[in-house]
Amino acid sequence: MHATTYLADYRPFPFALERVSLRFRLAPEATRVQAELHLTPREAGAALVLDGEELKLIALAIDGADLKPADYLLTETGLTIHPAALPEGAFTLTTEVEIAPALNTALEGLYMSNGMYCTQCEAEGFRKITFYPDRPDVMARFHVRIESDLPVLLSNGNPVAQGAGFAEWDDPWPKPAYLFALVAGDLVATSGSFTTMSGREVALNIWVRPGDEDRCGFALGALQRSMGWDERTYGREYDLHIFNIVAVDDFNMGAMENKGLNIFNSKLVLASPETATDLDYERIEAVIAHEYFHNWTGNRITCRDWFQLCLKEGLTVFRDQSFTADMRLGAVKRIEDVITLRGRQFREDAGPLSHPPRPDHYREINNFYTATVYEKGAEVVGMLKTLVGPEGYRAALDLYFARHDGQACTIEDWIKVFEDSSGRDLTQFKRWYTDAGTPHLKVAERFENGTYTLDFTQETAATPGQAEKPARLIPIAVGLLGPNGDEVVPTQVLEMTEARQSFTFEGLGARPVPSILRGFSAPVVLERETSPAEQAFLLAHDSDPFNRWEAGRALALSTLCAMAQGGAPGGEYLDAVGRLIADETAEPAFRALCLRLPGEDEVAQALASAGAVPDPDAIHAARRKLMETLANRHEAALAATYAACAVPGPYTPDAAPSGLRSLRLACLAPLSAIDGGARAQALFDSATNMTESLGALNQLIALGKAEGPLASFRARWENNRLVMDKWFMAQAALTPPAAAVARAEALAADPLFDWKNPNRFRSLLGGLSANHAGFHRADGAGYRFYADWLIRLDPMNPQTAARMSTAFETWARYDTARQALMRGELTRIAAQPGLSRDLSEMTARLLG
Ligand code: BES
Ligand code: ZN
């Protein structure tokens, strides 16, 4: 069994590695990789320990002389050259290995996708390519020569030579091996350029398989917008003559920021109005931005070790969220991000996988690319910005780039930059990085003689391995509203540093209504005794759009929780929604968010966190019932809005028309609950874009009236992989719960279910786990089906199997029968012979 790695064990690499020269002779089952490493010892007498996995060693020499068997030790995980075999000064190590990219189904290292060679090296994939110190604090300049008959040969940096059957690339910027990339294939480019703020012209290319080139325009524009934004907002300019993006169909993750050669899952590049939804467009723009922004936050300044992952990921997610907020509607983007944070990170933090944004141990680092590292990591950056203000934030980032360019850094370096630039002591704030768990913030209020007091307490439940939870610094943005809805105290940021702390506001004429945690100023659960009337008041009057939405959300959530436990929908919620549907002064995208009901998983989480045991069927029924009640109560307004939001003219993915479409679909959901699917069927028949086509299909599937539309959709799109992923996903996720597992089984038997393709696998299995009541079927059929497929995928692609095992992370929420069924499946998975390190770490942690 693979050992645990601890943060406390970090030691610098005892050699300097300044330059690397690689030569690839590509062949599907016998690629030869020659590597030349220019090394200088930094500690006398140290052995040279190189990582290497699944490599066939062909040749090994130092300064041109072959090593003898006694000079080194070759194991399953690497190559150790004994100190006695090493020169005292600088030397050159040359190795040659053979690898088989065509047999690489794990999609890590060098692999093949549709006849194309490509790489994925983060976090520890480079060791499957050659023997190397595969750790992010070893930064070297790379020269790469690729030999192959394929027409397009790409690597990092700038092209320096090419001819018949070869190309050479040189990357002037020192980088860790995880940022290495190589692509070879029959590819076509959509090209453009960007002139940087200092006037340098950069060639931009989006490379795809022939036939896909008509769906690259949006990605290219998104790249240009990202480059401009990073110059304007952070003063950061691109630093090579060329920037390449390649789309591949087989990819474990979303995308990867390799220096000068980003590699993308094709679903995050290819878009046309007929094949991609508004959400796809928004996501493509955000991910292109994210990977581009890594050029400074990740590549120029990288991580010392993988424990520091949120140094690059949390910051870069924060940057891409800010970018999208600037490109579209900022308030809407913030609400969407908080919905995701709660749905993924709060869920993770409430279960057995809870860990801090900077963990201190792991077995398989791939298992730590989590919602906590990414999304909570981004929230922590946002809180720092709130604490030091926008100018203070920019000053801190300027100092970060000035001080650490070219280095591999830690969270301590990052915090120090904020301390030095702001003069603040951030010792307590650092707990956000090192402590796990979501703080619960309770607030009570008092009003006496014109003085209003908010009494806060904070508490964080114990998490695996962390019992003690000292108080954190929580920035709480607060505003106060008067009885007529006017703002009597504008937003101010209270800094809570104690476990219990009070804040007073003086000189008020009447008892105010507080708007607390505006903009979601900290990733906490706010608990406050409030009335539906007060929530309806905030939904009508709050000047902070986030808290306006939040008031309606809380109302919807408490209504659903009550209904799932046998109650009836409260009048306040229904009235408040009625006012919103017709409120033409609010942005359509905002109204759409307010109309959309919380998902079933969110309701289950709310019930569990209130100490109840969620019943998935009751939650499902409550949500359908509320939809129907809403529609009956407001049919006229919903129908009028539905009709009014039809977008005339040709499709564009811009914020305004996509906001209208999203409001239109938000009206369609309740209407479909009472019109028998008539509108959805009409929309499906007339739709000319994927947003509306899929939006209509989703409603029909939920009604069990989609057989005809599903057949015609399939007939039209069966040759388009990305669209067929949607076809699989929609059915798995939305088929009514009683039929969901049977439907998933039928889909798994479909000849188009290519389970080795991660996108297709995720569509079906991820769809099923998103079908809350279907997955959690009382007889355990959902759990069994899901576990069977994880067991099947694991030997093929352990990384994806392990990531998907998080469907079971909520087992402790449910009744004892379901708990036993889920734990039974996890135990069955854990007992599989030859289980991967990835999945065995996950089952062990999930079982607790
Ligand atoms: N560096 C990651 C890609 C990655 C993740 C490589 C895990 C190896 C293991 C990349 O920058 C990233 O974060 N991609 C995200 C999308 C992003 C917009 C949050 C992804 O792939 O999901
Ligand atoms: Zn990233």
Side-chain angles (χ1 to χ4, degrees):
M1 184 175 290
H2 198 273
T4 300
T5 306
Y6 293 92
L7 169 59
D9 290 346
Y10 173 80
R11 299 288 176 276
F13 187 60
F15 295 81
L17 172 52
E18 260 142 41
R19 259 177 342 105
V20 182
S21 191
L22 300 173
R23 176 180 175 212
F24 289 83
R25 280 175 289 163
L26 297 175
E29 298 194 4
T31 288
R32 286 292 178 97
V33 186
Q34 289 179 326
E36 211 176 275
L37 275 52
H38 299 274
L39 293 148
T40 311
R42 280 204 285 223
E43 282 172 26
L48 177 60
V49 182
L50 302 175
D51 302 294
E53 286 173 17
E54 295 159 46
L55 305 173
K56 184 166 150 199
L57 183 62
I58 306 290
L60 176 62
I62 286 184
D63 292 333
D66 287 343
L67 292 194
K68 296 182 221 27
D71 294 337
Y72 62 91
L73 178 70
L74 191 58
T75 69
E76 294 262 276
T77 58
L79 175 67
T80 300
I81 303 177
H82 303 314
L86 298 173
E88 257 166 44
F91 62 94
T92 302
L93 176 82
T94 50
T95 61
E96 179 167 3
V97 301
E98 190 178 288
I99 53 180
L103 309 182
N104 179 350
T105 61
L107 314 184
E108 195 187 38
L110 177 67
Y111 67 95
M112 299 193 76
S113 171
N114 297 317
M116 174 199 326
Y117 293 85
C118 60
T119 54
Q120 171 54 41
C121 292
E122 189 178 0
E124 298 182 333
F126 194 69
R127 62 188 61 187
K128 294 178 162 186
I129 293 177
T130 191
F131 289 104
Y132 200 81
D134 189 7
R135 42 188 287 169
D137 60 344
V138 173
M139 297 173 82
R141 288 187 350 254
F142 281 65
H143 181 96
V144 177
R145 179 183 168 91
I146 310 167
E147 297 175 19
S148 163
D149 292 334
L150 288 163
V152 177
L153 307 175
L154 307 172
S155 190
N156 316 92
N158 297 312
V160 286
Q162 60 186 323
F166 81 96
E168 288 184 31
W169 292 78
D170 191 79
D171 186 354
W173 300 102
K175 65 167 176 291
Y178 82 85
L179 292 172
F180 167 82
L182 175 155
V183 168
D186 181 9
L187 300 169
V188 287
T190 298
S191 304
S193 74
F194 181 83
T195 306
T196 71
M197 58 189 186
S198 68
R200 283 183 304 100
E201 173 141 331
V202 180
L204 311 177
N205 300 297
I206 314 277
W207 296 95
V208 297
R209 291 162 62 198
D212 287 343
E213 61 271 28
D214 56 339
R215 284 182 289 154
C216 298
F218 182 76
L220 179 61
L223 176 59
Q224 289 161 327
R225 289 190 289 281
S226 306
M227 296 176 88
W229 186 89
D230 214 17
E231 293 187 346
R232 291 193 304 279
T233 317
Y234 282 83
R236 296 295 117 195
E237 189 175 4
Y238 186 61
D239 54 6
L240 291 166
H241 303 308
I242 185 165
F243 190 86
N244 287 310
I245 289 179
V246 181
V248 304
D249 288 337
D250 298 280
F251 200 73
N252 281 337
M253 301 293 296
M256 178 64 209
E257 70 265 25
N258 318 298
K259 184 79 186 191
L261 178 53
N262 288 188
I263 298 183
F264 272 61
N265 188 317
S266 53
K267 76 173 180 205
L268 290 166
V269 171
L270 304 177
S272 69
E274 297 74 34
T275 59
T277 64
D278 290 335
L279 197 68
D280 291 329
Y281 277 97
E282 182 176 328
R283 190 95 189 111
I284 289 168
E285 185 175 60
V287 180
I288 297 250
H290 177 99
E291 307 310 339
Y292 174 72
F293 295 159
H294 269 313
N295 191 55
W296 275 95
T297 52
N299 302 5
R300 290 284 287 257
I301 304 180
T302 194
C303 301
R304 187 193 72 174
D305 53 66
W306 292 117
F307 296 104
Q308 321 297 328
L309 182 58
C310 73
L311 177 70
K312 75 175 176 82
E313 294 301 349
L315 173 56
T316 305
V317 170
F318 179 74
R319 275 151 55 69
D320 83 57
Q321 290 175 344
S322 313
F323 166 78
T324 303
D326 284 355
M327 293 294 129
R328 309 174 79 90
L329 294 169
V332 166
K333 172 63 175 163
R334 181 65 184 143
I335 295 166
E336 289 168 352
D337 289 339
V338 174
I339 293 174
T340 314
L341 180 79
R342 287 182 174 146
R344 289 162 34 92
Q345 201 276 324
F346 282 22
R347 168 181 149 121
E348 180 169 81
D349 237 357
L353 302 180
S354 175
H355 58 277
R358 186 178 70 180
D360 56 15
H361 66 281
Y362 61 75
R363 279 179 55 202
E364 170 52 63
I365 185 57
N366 281 330
N367 289 336
F368 279 88
Y369 286 74
T370 61
T372 296
V373 167
Y374 275 68
E375 285 149 37
K376 189 170 183 175
E379 292 299 316
V380 177
V381 175
M383 285 190 286
L384 280 169
K385 182 171 179 182
T386 300
L387 291 173
V388 302
E391 287 86 25
Y393 176 75
R394 178 62 200 266
L397 270 284
D398 286 348
L399 180 59
Y400 181 59
F401 296 122
R403 186 183 279 178
H404 294 297
D405 186 14
Q407 297 177 4
C409 293
T410 61
I411 290 300
E412 282 73 15
D413 295 327
W414 165 252
I415 289 178
K416 186 81 168 50
V417 152
F418 278 82
E419 291 188 323
D420 291 352
S421 62
S422 72
R424 289 186 59 133
D425 176 352
L426 293 168
T427 311
Q428 184 185 17
F429 184 82
K430 195 183 161 195
R431 291 198 176 120
W432 282 105
Y433 283 107
T434 56
D435 291 8
T438 307
H440 283 233
L441 188 62
K442 289 202 180 76
V443 56
E445 57 233 60
R446 291 175 276 149
F447 182 65
E448 275 163 353
N449 304 325
T451 299
Y452 183 68
T453 306
L454 290 172
D455 300 310
F456 289 101
T457 60
Q458 58 165 298
E459 211 176 313
T460 307
T463 52
Q466 278 187 344
E468 288 296 309
K469 300 287 180 181
R472 299 186 198 181
L473 167 53
I474 303 180
I476 309 171
V478 172
L480 301 179
L481 308 190
N484 63 355
D486 288 348
E487 187 157 270
V488 292
V489 174
T491 307
Q492 50 179 274
V493 179
L494 312 176
E495 294 189 14
M496 183 182 189
T497 55
E498 310 290 330
R500 9 180 88 248
Q501 203 167 342
S502 300
F503 297 89
T504 57
F505 303 83
E506 275 157 18
L508 294 164
R511 184 187 189 94
V513 173
S515 168
I516 303 172
L517 214 64
R518 283 187 158 176
F520 205 62
S521 61
V524 301
V525 175
L526 181 63
E527 293 176 7
R528 173 166 176 267
E529 291 287 332
T530 178
S531 65
E534 197 182 271
Q535 284 170 329
F537 176 86
L538 286 171
L539 177 56
H541 299 294
D542 203 326
S543 65
D544 180 66
F546 177 83
N547 264 5
R548 238 192 116 184
W549 168 83
E550 178 81 321
R553 185 69 160 195
L555 208 44
L557 201 53
S558 54
T559 303
L560 282 169
C561 287
M563 289 174 73
Q565 295 174 301
E572 282 90 351
Y573 175 68
L574 297 171
D575 293 344
V577 169
R579 283 189 291 274
L580 243 155
I581 300 167
D583 181 359
E584 306 257 333
T585 66
E587 288 287 350
F590 177 81
R591 284 151 71 198
L593 285 173
C594 294
L595 268 183
R596 199 169 302 152
L597 292 179
E600 294 170 31
D601 191 72
E602 188 173 344
V603 178
Q605 183 162 309
L607 285 167
S609 121
V613 176
D615 172 348
D617 296 314
I619 294 170
H620 181 79
R623 201 168 174 280
R624 302 291 312 166
K625 179 75 192 161
L626 185 55
M627 207 79 99
E628 191 188 315
T629 312
L630 255 171
N632 281 320
R633 182 92 154 233
H634 301 299
E635 182 173 3
L638 286 166
T641 306
Y642 179 76
C645 288
V647 184
Y651 175 96
T652 74
D654 302 343
S658 78
L660 285 171
R661 281 186 292 268
S662 119
L663 179 54
R664 191 158 201 242
L665 292 174
C667 293
L668 182 65
L671 286 169
S672 298
I674 59 168
D675 74 359
R679 285 183 185 83
Q681 183 67 55
L683 182 62
F684 181 82
D685 293 337
S686 65
T688 55
N689 60 71
M690 181 53 71
T691 306
E692 292 181 330
S693 177
L694 187 65
L697 186 64
N698 285 344
Q699 296 305 326
L700 294 169
I701 295 170
L703 291 171
K705 293 188 174 170
E707 293 316 312
L710 282 168
S712 69
F713 190 98
R714 181 197 175 108
R716 172 152 183 213
W717 296 115
E718 63 188 342
N719 295 319
N720 185 309
R721 288 222 213 188
L722 297 176
V723 178
M724 284 311 288
D725 287 336
K726 299 181 194 300
W727 185 85
F728 277 90
M729 165 79 96
Q731 294 178 72
L734 295 166
T735 294
V741 176
R743 174 59 60 133
E745 280 165 351
L747 289 168
D750 191 298
L752 288 178
F753 183 58
D754 169 12
W755 61 275
K756 292 174 190 168
N757 174 261
N759 287 358
R760 189 59 51 88
F761 188 92
R762 274 192 295 261
S763 292
L764 176 54
L765 279 298
L768 180 64
S769 66
N771 190 326
H772 186 258
F775 179 66
H776 290 286
R777 229 171 80 156
D779 66 358
Y783 307 147
R784 200 173 327 115
F785 174 84
Y786 199 92
D788 283 345
W789 276 104
L790 291 188
I791 289 168
R792 184 145 176 205
L793 183 65
D794 185 56
M796 206 49 116
N797 186 335
Q799 195 182 331
T800 295
R803 286 184 78 78
M804 297 205 57
S805 69
T806 55
F808 290 111
E809 77 187 337
T810 56
W811 64 263
R813 277 182 193 164
Y814 298 93
D815 53 87
T816 49
R818 283 188 174 86
Q819 287 194 10
L821 289 166
M822 278 187 263
R823 293 186 61 93
E825 295 302 335
L826 287 168
T827 308
R828 179 163 71 94
I829 297 170
Q832 294 299 311
L835 195 70
S836 67
R837 175 183 0 147
D838 309 58
L839 192 50
S840 76
E841 178 186 26
M842 291 303 283
T843 52
R845 287 170 61 211
L846 285 162
L847 287 164

